[in-house]
Amino acid sequence: MRAVSQLADLPTGATATVKALAADAGLRQRLEALGLRPGQSVQVLRRGWWSGPLHVRVGMTELMLRRRDAARVSLAA
Amino acid sequence: MPNTGKSTLFNRLTGHHAHIGNWPGLTVDLLQADLQLSGRSVQLVDLPGIYDLRGHSDDEAVVRRFLEQTPVDLVLVVLNASQLDRQLRLALQVQQLGLPAVLALNMADEAARFGVSIQAESLSAALNQPVLPLSAKYRQGLETLQHTLLAQLEARADHPAAIPEQLEERLAAMDADLDGAMAELVERCVTLPARWRDSRSRRLDAVLLHPLLGLPLFFLAMALMFQGIYAIGVPVQEALGSLLDQFGQAVLKPLIAPLPALLQGFLLEGLYQGLGTVMAFLPVIALFFLAMGLVEDSGYLSRAAYLMDAFMERLGLDGRSFVLSLMGFGCNVPAILGTRVMRDRGLRLLSMLVIPFSLCSARLNVFLFMAAVFFPPRIGGLVIFGLYLMSFVAAMLTALLFRGRFPSNEPLVLELPPYRLPTAGQMLSRAWSEVKHFWLWSRRFIIFGVVAVWLLNNLPVGVEPASSASLAGQLGTLTQPLLAPIGINPKLAVALLFGFIAKEIVLGGLAVIYGQADPVALSRAIASDVSWPQALSFMLFTLLYTPCLSTVAVIRSESKKLSFTLLSVAWSLLLAWLVSFVAFQTITRLS
């Protein structure tokens, strides 16, 4: 399988581990507050229509985030 | 923490007697209430829900400042029991600051359902503070919580209330070790399920968030919701309206018979009729808030943000703007206050520009009445539906036109909570407080408005009420060069003028202007004076122009810019006039 480097490219249904957050302080804190931090495993549950947001699960929390913001979350190979 | 049922717990503990406290140095209002603990009375303050004491959000700053300035006897930290894997951070921060604390793990029922098990005792030992799993929604564990709070307060009776020193420095110093400490604590005290166990949310999401079905289903649900509200609410409203009128005729009229005719007319046809018309609509409004509360507390509203975000993004807005606009269908004022969650100024201003086009419950009063007067029931329903559609179109058009002026680049990351079944008691008490608020709020405007309309109609002294010689008639005639092309006659113009203060006045105002207290007689009087294209134009104008003075005031205070407030008012007036003009001229030319 081709190594996926960022959350925005993770196929629907797949799980990966967060490596780093290349986001500005505001977004990084928001992601971390909701549990999306390095070392956590994240699963993409679905993608919205018309390039809509991703629906992901981290630990016991489910979130939506835009693909643009998901591109800032890099994944461990 | 946000989304942990903190407000529910606060209400359960204090029993809805909270009031807004004034805290020096804080820019927001905090709810506070007396909490009775077996005879001892303590002050409980509801601080904003936060994720992290070190965070940069406004809410997080408010909590920090509060803790720095206000000595507290005890901190009650409320977390969501099923999300301890990330939420324990806050409890650790409070503990490491040395603040005396009790940790409430709310929604323990849900955690059990999802297969999360928590060793409260070892957690309590590790944090050196009481840890109590409970469910505020189902009233489980509340007594134990109260006993614990009391015991903790008494145990610390001889300690002075605490203010943590150098709060920010100490938080910063501990931050590096926090992740490790939290992971270790979760490992030791919380057992997460090997597989996600919330199959209910999973199955519902598969349908409700379906890429193709999701949006049609959402709009279908909304349409059914509104249909249901009218199917139940409108007959109740009509019955209540005629009951109130009969009471006025049979009981009040004889009572005030000795008073001068002018005063009689004012009391009965002005004040009583004005208040009665609005009161009759309270059932519809209660049903509306009930339904909206159900949608919100079930978790469907945050799904609406997910479903609509792609579309809203192209309008320069985001999923939250959509949800706030939806809330605006109840009342625009809290919806505009809700834009505080947005940090990007462009996004926030654009949302504030769009929200006033949401057809709020006060405007709905006017439309339900007018639709019943001018159209048979089947067509009337379509007219109301068309007005809702127009409300969306106006909001979309506004966003498209102004998105260039208010560009934004805010990321959107939202929690999608599991689906929940709200309890009946929770829903009813919520709807009740919303209706109470609406009534108290609108009553002031109605009394003022109705008095003013009545005075304008009956002054100068001796004039035939509401004739063209009265102040109202003169004022109405003055507007004709501008309003005649859109079919608004002088009487309707006066109602619209007062509608600027609040839409609740419009109906009461019309009752006063046409001098008819009885709803049926008022319908007839208006129907004989106004044609249906005129009525339609009046409704469109009412829908689109400035919702009310309160909305203007809150836009001013939230945007902190007079120029923006003026833009919002001017644009809505212009759009209202243009749409009414096109509609009225097209219909009159065609027929």
Side-chain angles (χ1 to χ4, degrees), chain B residues 125-165:
Chain B
L127 289 170
N128 194 24
Q129 56 183 255
V131 175
L132 303 168
L134 53 90
S135 164
K137 182 169 156 187
Y138 296 108
R139 297 177 196 272
Q140 287 160 1
L142 295 186
E143 260 182 51
T144 322
L145 174 63
Q146 293 191 344
H147 289 313
T148 311
L149 290 177
L150 184 65
Q152 288 294 308
L153 286 169
E154 280 176 349
R156 297 189 50 89
D158 44 355
H159 293 62
I163 290 192
E165 282 170 17

Short mmCIF file of all heavy atoms in Angstrom, two decimals, chain B residues 125-165:
data_model
loop_
_atom_site.label_atom_id
_atom_site.label_comp_id
_atom_site.label_asym_id
_atom_site.label_seq_id
_atom_site.Cartn_x
_atom_site.Cartn_y
_atom_site.Cartn_z
N ALA B 125 -7.57 8.59 44.04
CA ALA B 125 -6.32 8.53 44.79
C ALA B 125 -5.20 9.24 44.03
O ALA B 125 -4.41 10.00 44.61
CB ALA B 125 -5.95 7.07 45.04
N ALA B 126 -5.19 9.05 42.71
CA ALA B 126 -4.11 9.66 41.92
C ALA B 126 -4.24 11.18 41.88
O ALA B 126 -3.24 11.89 41.91
CB ALA B 126 -4.14 9.09 40.51
N LEU B 127 -5.46 11.66 41.82
CA LEU B 127 -5.66 13.11 41.72
C LEU B 127 -5.79 13.75 43.10
O LEU B 127 -5.82 14.97 43.22
CB LEU B 127 -6.93 13.41 40.91
CG LEU B 127 -6.89 13.13 39.41
CD1 LEU B 127 -8.27 13.25 38.81
CD2 LEU B 127 -5.94 14.11 38.73
N ASN B 128 -5.90 12.91 44.11
CA ASN B 128 -6.06 13.40 45.48
C ASN B 128 -7.28 14.30 45.62
O ASN B 128 -7.22 15.39 46.21
CB ASN B 128 -4.78 14.14 45.92
CG ASN B 128 -4.77 14.36 47.42
OD1 ASN B 128 -5.43 13.62 48.16
ND2 ASN B 128 -4.05 15.38 47.86
N GLN B 129 -8.39 13.88 45.03
CA GLN B 129 -9.64 14.63 45.15
C GLN B 129 -10.78 13.66 44.87
O GLN B 129 -10.60 12.64 44.21
CB GLN B 129 -9.68 15.78 44.15
CG GLN B 129 -9.48 15.33 42.71
CD GLN B 129 -9.46 16.50 41.75
OE1 GLN B 129 -10.43 16.73 41.05
NE2 GLN B 129 -8.36 17.22 41.71
N PRO B 130 -11.97 13.93 45.40
CA PRO B 130 -13.11 13.04 45.14
C PRO B 130 -13.43 12.98 43.65
O PRO B 130 -13.37 14.00 42.96
CB PRO B 130 -14.26 13.70 45.91
CG PRO B 130 -13.62 14.62 46.88
CD PRO B 130 -12.35 15.07 46.27
N VAL B 131 -13.74 11.78 43.17
CA VAL B 131 -14.13 11.59 41.78
C VAL B 131 -15.47 10.89 41.76
O VAL B 131 -15.61 9.81 42.32
CB VAL B 131 -13.09 10.75 41.02
CG1 VAL B 131 -13.58 10.47 39.59
CG2 VAL B 131 -11.75 11.46 40.98
N LEU B 132 -16.48 11.53 41.14
CA LEU B 132 -17.83 10.98 41.20
C LEU B 132 -18.42 10.79 39.82
O LEU B 132 -18.69 11.77 39.12
CB LEU B 132 -18.75 11.94 41.98
CG LEU B 132 -18.31 12.29 43.39
CD1 LEU B 132 -19.13 13.45 43.91
CD2 LEU B 132 -18.47 11.08 44.29
N PRO B 133 -18.66 9.53 39.40
CA PRO B 133 -19.39 9.32 38.15
C PRO B 133 -20.86 9.66 38.40
O PRO B 133 -21.39 9.32 39.46
CB PRO B 133 -19.24 7.82 37.88
CG PRO B 133 -18.27 7.31 38.90
CD PRO B 133 -18.27 8.27 40.03
N LEU B 134 -21.49 10.35 37.49
CA LEU B 134 -22.90 10.69 37.68
C LEU B 134 -23.56 10.94 36.34
O LEU B 134 -22.90 10.94 35.30
CB LEU B 134 -23.03 11.93 38.58
CG LEU B 134 -22.25 13.20 38.22
CD1 LEU B 134 -23.07 14.09 37.30
CD2 LEU B 134 -21.88 13.97 39.46
N SER B 135 -24.87 11.12 36.37
CA SER B 135 -25.60 11.49 35.16
C SER B 135 -26.59 12.59 35.52
O SER B 135 -27.59 12.34 36.16
CB SER B 135 -26.34 10.28 34.59
OG SER B 135 -27.31 10.73 33.66
N ALA B 136 -26.24 13.83 35.12
CA ALA B 136 -27.12 14.96 35.45
C ALA B 136 -28.46 14.79 34.76
O ALA B 136 -29.50 15.10 35.31
CB ALA B 136 -26.45 16.26 35.01
N LYS B 137 -28.42 14.27 33.52
CA LYS B 137 -29.63 14.13 32.72
C LYS B 137 -30.63 13.21 33.43
O LYS B 137 -31.82 13.51 33.51
CB LYS B 137 -29.24 13.57 31.37
CG LYS B 137 -30.35 13.39 30.39
CD LYS B 137 -29.72 13.08 29.04
CE LYS B 137 -30.68 12.33 28.14
NZ LYS B 137 -29.98 11.91 26.90
N TYR B 138 -30.14 12.07 33.94
CA TYR B 138 -31.04 11.10 34.59
C TYR B 138 -31.02 11.23 36.11
O TYR B 138 -31.47 10.34 36.82
CB TYR B 138 -30.68 9.68 34.15
CG TYR B 138 -30.91 9.47 32.68
CD1 TYR B 138 -29.84 9.34 31.80
CD2 TYR B 138 -32.20 9.44 32.16
CE1 TYR B 138 -30.05 9.17 30.43
CE2 TYR B 138 -32.42 9.27 30.80
CZ TYR B 138 -31.34 9.13 29.94
OH TYR B 138 -31.56 8.99 28.60
N ARG B 139 -30.47 12.33 36.59
CA ARG B 139 -30.43 12.61 38.04
C ARG B 139 -29.78 11.49 38.85
O ARG B 139 -30.24 11.16 39.94
CB ARG B 139 -31.84 12.84 38.59
CG ARG B 139 -32.54 14.05 37.99
CD ARG B 139 -33.96 14.15 38.56
NE ARG B 139 -34.78 15.04 37.75
CZ ARG B 139 -34.87 16.35 37.94
NH1 ARG B 139 -34.20 16.92 38.89
NH2 ARG B 139 -35.62 17.09 37.16
N GLN B 140 -28.75 10.87 38.29
CA GLN B 140 -28.06 9.82 39.05
C GLN B 140 -26.81 10.41 39.67
O GLN B 140 -26.03 11.08 39.00
CB GLN B 140 -27.69 8.65 38.13
CG GLN B 140 -28.90 7.82 37.75
CD GLN B 140 -28.65 6.99 36.50
OE1 GLN B 140 -27.56 7.03 35.93
NE2 GLN B 140 -29.67 6.26 36.07
N GLY B 141 -26.63 10.14 40.95
CA GLY B 141 -25.40 10.55 41.63
C GLY B 141 -25.40 11.99 42.09
O GLY B 141 -24.38 12.49 42.56
N LEU B 142 -26.54 12.69 41.96
CA LEU B 142 -26.54 14.10 42.33
C LEU B 142 -26.48 14.29 43.84
O LEU B 142 -25.84 15.20 44.34
CB LEU B 142 -27.79 14.79 41.76
CG LEU B 142 -27.85 14.86 40.24
CD1 LEU B 142 -29.03 15.69 39.79
CD2 LEU B 142 -26.56 15.45 39.68
N GLU B 143 -27.17 13.38 44.57
CA GLU B 143 -27.15 13.52 46.03
C GLU B 143 -25.75 13.30 46.58
O GLU B 143 -25.28 14.06 47.43
CB GLU B 143 -28.12 12.53 46.66
CG GLU B 143 -29.43 13.19 47.03
CD GLU B 143 -30.38 12.24 47.70
OE1 GLU B 143 -29.96 11.58 48.67
OE2 GLU B 143 -31.53 12.15 47.24
N THR B 144 -25.12 12.25 46.07
CA THR B 144 -23.74 11.97 46.51
C THR B 144 -22.86 13.18 46.23
O THR B 144 -22.02 13.55 47.04
CB THR B 144 -23.19 10.75 45.75
OG1 THR B 144 -24.23 9.80 45.62
CG2 THR B 144 -22.00 10.15 46.45
N LEU B 145 -23.07 13.79 45.05
CA LEU B 145 -22.27 14.96 44.69
C LEU B 145 -22.47 16.07 45.71
O LEU B 145 -21.51 16.69 46.18
CB LEU B 145 -22.64 15.44 43.29
CG LEU B 145 -21.99 16.75 42.84
CD1 LEU B 145 -20.48 16.60 42.78
CD2 LEU B 145 -22.52 17.21 41.51
N GLN B 146 -23.74 16.32 46.08
CA GLN B 146 -24.00 17.40 47.04
C GLN B 146 -23.36 17.10 48.40
O GLN B 146 -22.79 18.00 49.01
CB GLN B 146 -25.51 17.60 47.17
CG GLN B 146 -26.10 18.12 45.88
CD GLN B 146 -27.53 18.59 46.03
OE1 GLN B 146 -28.18 18.27 47.00
NE2 GLN B 146 -28.01 19.34 45.06
N HIS B 147 -23.47 15.83 48.83
CA HIS B 147 -22.83 15.46 50.11
C HIS B 147 -21.33 15.69 50.03
O HIS B 147 -20.71 16.23 50.95
CB HIS B 147 -23.11 14.00 50.44
CG HIS B 147 -24.54 13.76 50.83
ND1 HIS B 147 -25.20 14.56 51.73
CD2 HIS B 147 -25.43 12.82 50.43
CE1 HIS B 147 -26.45 14.12 51.85
NE2 HIS B 147 -26.61 13.07 51.06
N THR B 148 -20.74 15.27 48.91
CA THR B 148 -19.30 15.40 48.75
C THR B 148 -18.88 16.86 48.75
O THR B 148 -17.89 17.24 49.38
CB THR B 148 -18.85 14.73 47.45
OG1 THR B 148 -19.42 13.43 47.40
CG2 THR B 148 -17.35 14.65 47.36
N LEU B 149 -19.66 17.69 48.02
CA LEU B 149 -19.33 19.12 47.98
C LEU B 149 -19.35 19.70 49.39
O LEU B 149 -18.43 20.42 49.79
CB LEU B 149 -20.33 19.87 47.09
CG LEU B 149 -20.25 19.61 45.59
CD1 LEU B 149 -21.36 20.36 44.86
CD2 LEU B 149 -18.89 20.04 45.04
N LEU B 150 -20.39 19.34 50.14
CA LEU B 150 -20.53 19.86 51.50
C LEU B 150 -19.36 19.39 52.37
O LEU B 150 -18.74 20.19 53.08
CB LEU B 150 -21.86 19.40 52.10
CG LEU B 150 -22.18 19.96 53.48
CD1 LEU B 150 -22.35 21.46 53.41
CD2 LEU B 150 -23.43 19.32 54.07
N ALA B 151 -19.06 18.09 52.28
CA ALA B 151 -17.97 17.54 53.10
C ALA B 151 -16.65 18.23 52.77
O ALA B 151 -15.88 18.58 53.67
CB ALA B 151 -17.87 16.03 52.85
N GLN B 152 -16.41 18.46 51.48
CA GLN B 152 -15.16 19.10 51.07
C GLN B 152 -15.09 20.53 51.58
O GLN B 152 -14.05 20.99 52.04
CB GLN B 152 -15.04 19.09 49.54
CG GLN B 152 -14.75 17.73 48.96
CD GLN B 152 -13.38 17.23 49.37
OE1 GLN B 152 -12.38 17.92 49.21
NE2 GLN B 152 -13.34 16.03 49.95
N LEU B 153 -16.23 21.23 51.49
CA LEU B 153 -16.25 22.62 51.95
C LEU B 153 -16.02 22.68 53.45
O LEU B 153 -15.30 23.55 53.94
CB LEU B 153 -17.59 23.27 51.59
CG LEU B 153 -17.75 23.62 50.11
CD1 LEU B 153 -19.19 24.01 49.80
CD2 LEU B 153 -16.81 24.76 49.73
N GLU B 154 -16.64 21.73 54.18
CA GLU B 154 -16.49 21.76 55.63
C GLU B 154 -15.07 21.37 56.06
O GLU B 154 -14.51 21.94 56.99
CB GLU B 154 -17.54 20.87 56.29
CG GLU B 154 -18.86 21.64 56.34
CD GLU B 154 -20.02 20.84 56.89
OE1 GLU B 154 -19.87 19.60 57.06
OE2 GLU B 154 -21.06 21.45 57.12
N ALA B 155 -14.52 20.42 55.32
CA ALA B 155 -13.15 20.00 55.65
C ALA B 155 -12.16 21.14 55.45
O ALA B 155 -11.12 21.20 56.10
CB ALA B 155 -12.76 18.81 54.77
N ARG B 156 -12.52 22.05 54.56
CA ARG B 156 -11.61 23.15 54.28
C ARG B 156 -12.05 24.45 54.94
O ARG B 156 -11.58 25.53 54.58
CB ARG B 156 -11.50 23.38 52.77
CG ARG B 156 -10.93 22.21 52.00
CD ARG B 156 -10.66 22.63 50.57
NE ARG B 156 -9.92 23.88 50.51
CZ ARG B 156 -8.59 23.94 50.52
NH1 ARG B 156 -7.87 22.85 50.58
NH2 ARG B 156 -7.98 25.11 50.47
N ALA B 157 -12.98 24.34 55.88
CA ALA B 157 -13.60 25.54 56.45
C ALA B 157 -12.57 26.53 57.00
O ALA B 157 -12.74 27.74 56.89
CB ALA B 157 -14.59 25.14 57.53
N ASP B 158 -11.48 26.00 57.58
CA ASP B 158 -10.52 26.94 58.18
C ASP B 158 -9.42 27.35 57.20
O ASP B 158 -8.54 28.12 57.54
CB ASP B 158 -9.93 26.35 59.47
CG ASP B 158 -9.58 24.89 59.29
OD1 ASP B 158 -9.88 24.35 58.21
OD2 ASP B 158 -9.00 24.31 60.23
N HIS B 159 -9.46 26.82 55.97
CA HIS B 159 -8.52 27.31 54.96
C HIS B 159 -9.12 28.54 54.30
O HIS B 159 -10.33 28.56 54.04
CB HIS B 159 -8.29 26.27 53.86
CG HIS B 159 -7.57 25.05 54.36
ND1 HIS B 159 -8.09 24.22 55.32
CD2 HIS B 159 -6.37 24.54 54.00
CE1 HIS B 159 -7.25 23.24 55.53
NE2 HIS B 159 -6.18 23.40 54.76
N PRO B 160 -8.32 29.54 54.04
CA PRO B 160 -8.86 30.66 53.27
C PRO B 160 -9.11 30.24 51.83
O PRO B 160 -8.46 29.32 51.34
CB PRO B 160 -7.76 31.72 53.37
CG PRO B 160 -6.50 30.94 53.63
CD PRO B 160 -6.91 29.70 54.38
N ALA B 161 -10.09 30.91 51.19
CA ALA B 161 -10.36 30.63 49.78
C ALA B 161 -9.09 30.88 48.96
O ALA B 161 -8.30 31.75 49.28
CB ALA B 161 -11.49 31.52 49.28
N ALA B 162 -8.93 30.08 47.92
CA ALA B 162 -7.63 30.06 47.24
C ALA B 162 -7.60 30.89 45.96
O ALA B 162 -8.55 30.88 45.19
CB ALA B 162 -7.27 28.61 46.91
N ILE B 163 -6.49 31.58 45.77
CA ILE B 163 -6.18 32.18 44.47
C ILE B 163 -4.81 31.63 44.07
O ILE B 163 -3.84 31.82 44.77
CB ILE B 163 -6.09 33.72 44.57
CG1 ILE B 163 -7.48 34.31 44.81
CG2 ILE B 163 -5.49 34.30 43.31
CD1 ILE B 163 -7.55 35.80 44.65
N PRO B 164 -4.76 30.92 42.95
CA PRO B 164 -3.44 30.38 42.56
C PRO B 164 -2.53 31.51 42.13
O PRO B 164 -2.93 32.40 41.37
CB PRO B 164 -3.79 29.46 41.39
CG PRO B 164 -5.12 29.89 40.92
CD PRO B 164 -5.81 30.60 42.02
N GLU B 165 -1.29 31.48 42.63
CA GLU B 165 -0.35 32.53 42.25
C GLU B 165 0.39 32.14 40.98
O GLU B 165 0.63 30.97 40.74
CB GLU B 165 0.63 32.79 43.40
CG GLU B 165 -0.03 33.63 44.48
CD GLU B 165 0.81 33.70 45.74
OE1 GLU B 165 2.01 33.38 45.66
OE2 GLU B 165 0.24 34.06 46.78
#
